[in-house]
Amino acid sequence: MTWDELAQLSRRHEVCCHSASHLPLDREMDASTLRTEIVGSKERIEEKLQKPVRVFCARRGKAYGEIPSQKEMLDAAGYTYITGDLAIEKIS
């Protein structure tokens, strides 16, 4: 999908972030990797679409807060919701 196609889709649908490289987020990772996956990917989509991204969809992610370093990065990124394999949670 091109950025133009995604922008068109975003006019009538919520565009969610799903990390930068599709890594599973089911374990601890170093801060640099987490920043790229959780914050950097959000910033890139927001820059391209010129609108906020409020939802993070974690691939094989744990529940919000189970991995403290990920919770910290999700909070820093400013997401409102996180969804994973089994749940959607309002986090802010």
Side-chain angles (χ1 to χ4, degrees):
M1 178 174 282
T2 67
W3 286 112
D4 287 339
E5 291 168 334
L6 188 60
Q8 185 177 10
L9 183 69
S10 75
R11 290 186 201 130
R12 59 188 190 281
H13 296 283
E14 186 79 22
V15 172
C16 306
C17 187
H18 192 54
S19 77
S21 62
H22 209 248
L23 284 176
L25 297 175
D26 58 354
R27 59 184 166 77
E28 285 284 350
M29 293 180 189
D30 64 86
S32 176
T33 300
L34 278 178
R35 177 154 195 349
T36 298
E37 297 299 319
I38 294 173
V39 180
S41 56
K42 179 181 192 283
E43 291 172 345
R44 184 163 187 222
I45 294 169
E46 289 177 337
E47 176 188 327
K48 294 290 188 176
L49 300 183
Q50 293 298 295
K51 62 192 319 182
V53 174
R54 301 176 321 128
V55 183
F56 186 81
C57 302
R59 178 172 176 255
R60 287 186 10 215
K62 301 286 187 182
Y64 176 71
E66 277 190 58
I67 301 176
S69 58
Q70 289 182 19
K71 178 189 179 301
E72 183 178 312
M73 203 63 67
L74 289 161
D75 292 345
Y79 290 103
T80 303
Y81 296 92
I82 181 171
T83 183
D85 295 337
L86 301 174
I88 184 166
E89 300 175 71
K90 185 171 179 25
I91 60 174
S92 68

